[in-house]
Amino acid sequence: MSVRMQCKTLGEGHPFVILHGLYGMSENWLPIAKILSSNYKVFLPDWRNHGYSPHTQSHTYEDLISDLKYFAESHSLERFILLGHSMGGKAAMKFALENPEMISSLIVVDIAPVDYNCKRDSSSILQHRTILDALLSLDLHSIKSRTEAENQLLSRISDIRVVRFLLKNLTRDNNQFCWRINLPVLRQYIEEIGSGFDPLSVNPATSFPVLFIRGANSDYISTEDIPEIKRFFPFAKIITVDNASHWVHADNPTEFIRVVRKFLE
């Protein structure tokens, strides 16, 4: 059953939908959306089990595509630019392949249509399991401050930038810390989130332009992944942004915006 995704909307013009990644929320993309809103009407929805959208007991790509279809119909979006990052990028790819008539342009940020459970050493899935287990291990009833939560997470996750990004999901309800993200369900479905595409289930996308943006310091899109990208999106452009990790839009926003605008022109 589809859920109604909470959404922020900025600007006027041709509709431009931005889909955040795992552990993210619409607010992560506000700086980019504010710049793009000078030319487009930008929609920033929160996925189910994230941000301010409802929690559910399921988190498959079929769920996400259904939610996005409901979202587009609810906002009378007939043809729109679709940008997705990480998990949001996979959902965007699947949605575009299944609903090509609804897409004017597709932009995929630092993710490929491959099975990350089987990809090389599967390091990204192992990392996500570690992150989710660390978040689930926090005793929110005993934690008195965000600093205390940060210090506990740093004992299991060494990258302070990642920890602070994750802690954007920590909020208070009646003076009690709680998570905006649905951690148990995301942990249950992490292999599904990392899964690949069935090439026999859809036709390659040829009716709209496609751009893949990868971070130079990220291993989410490798040279070995390009044939699989071309299998589904034979005319896709692939651009590498320097000085950027998996969070390309946050690491090098100026170059990210330049690349997006040039593609859309």
Side-chain angles (χ1 to χ4, degrees):
M1 181 177 179
S2 302
V3 304
R4 183 179 292 276
M5 295 191 288
Q6 293 298 307
C7 177
K8 293 179 173 62
T9 308
L10 298 83
E12 294 296 333
H14 188 76
F16 193 136
V17 178
I18 297 179
L19 305 173
H20 66 78
L22 183 62
Y23 320 121
M25 64 182 82
S26 58
E27 293 173 4
N28 305 146
W29 281 86
L30 268 176
I32 297 296
K34 286 177 180 177
I35 296 170
L36 292 172
S37 67
S38 61
N39 301 100
Y40 304 96
K41 185 171 185 178
V42 183
F43 296 85
L44 293 173
D46 285 331
W47 285 121
R48 64 168 62 201
N49 300 312
H50 290 74
Y52 297 92
S53 287
H55 286 192
T56 68
Q57 294 305 304
S58 179
H59 197 91
T60 67
Y61 281 110
E62 286 70 24
D63 294 329
L64 302 188
I65 291 167
S66 175
D67 293 346
L68 183 55
K69 187 78 176 289
Y70 180 56
F71 176 85
E73 291 170 349
S74 299
H75 289 83
S76 301
L77 304 181
E78 296 180 357
R79 276 178 61 82
F80 54 94
I81 301 165
L82 183 59
L83 182 154
H85 172 241
S86 199
M87 178 189 74
K90 272 203 171 177
M93 284 186 270
K94 283 178 174 280
F95 182 89
L97 287 165
E98 294 181 14
N99 304 277
E101 73 285 353
M102 300 183 71
I103 304 300
S104 59
S105 297
L106 174 67
I107 303 170
V108 180
V109 184
D110 213 54
I111 200 77
V114 300
D115 189 342
Y116 285 84
N117 298 291
C118 305
K119 181 176 160 71
R120 294 184 293 280
D121 58 1
S122 305
S123 59
S124 62
I125 292 299
L126 292 172
Q127 180 188 32
H128 286 303
R129 289 189 192 124
T130 299
I131 286 172
L132 288 162
D133 289 343
L135 295 176
L136 285 163
S137 74
L138 286 184
D139 182 1
L140 298 184
H141 295 284
S142 64
I143 290 172
K144 299 297 189 291
S145 69
R146 300 182 72 87
T147 300
E148 186 179 345
E150 180 179 297
N151 290 335
Q152 286 194 29
L153 285 178
L154 283 170
S155 68
R156 301 185 63 168
I157 304 170
S158 59
D159 190 332
I160 191 168
R161 186 183 179 200
V162 171
V163 167
R164 288 177 177 170
F165 168 74
L166 295 167
L167 285 175
K168 291 180 180 179
N169 290 289
L170 190 64
T171 186
R172 285 183 185 268
D173 185 16
N174 294 324
N175 209 35
Q176 170 66 53
F177 279 116
C178 57
W179 293 109
R180 284 199 177 100
I181 47 177
N182 189 347
L183 291 173
V185 166
L186 295 179
R187 181 63 180 87
Q188 179 184 350
Y189 283 88
I190 190 59
E191 283 76 22
E192 157 73 17
I193 293 168
S195 64
F197 291 10
D198 177 4
L200 300 179
S201 64
V202 291
N203 294 319
T206 58
S207 60
F208 50 83
V210 181
L211 172 66
F212 281 73
I213 302 176
R214 61 179 179 175
N217 303 328
S218 172
D219 63 357
Y220 273 79
I221 298 180
S222 67
T223 303
E224 292 81 3
D225 298 328
I226 292 176
E228 196 69 4
I229 290 173
K230 294 292 188 176
R231 179 202 294 250
F232 293 99
F233 304 98
F235 304 119
K237 295 181 179 180
I238 303 171
I239 302 290
T240 302
V241 172
D242 291 334
N243 303 313
S245 67
H246 185 53
W247 289 278
V248 187
H249 56 291
D251 290 341
N252 196 342
T254 301
E255 181 64 8
F256 180 83
I257 287 289
R258 188 195 69 79
V259 168
V260 168
R261 281 184 163 160
K262 183 177 181 181
F263 168 71
L264 293 175
E265 287 171 0

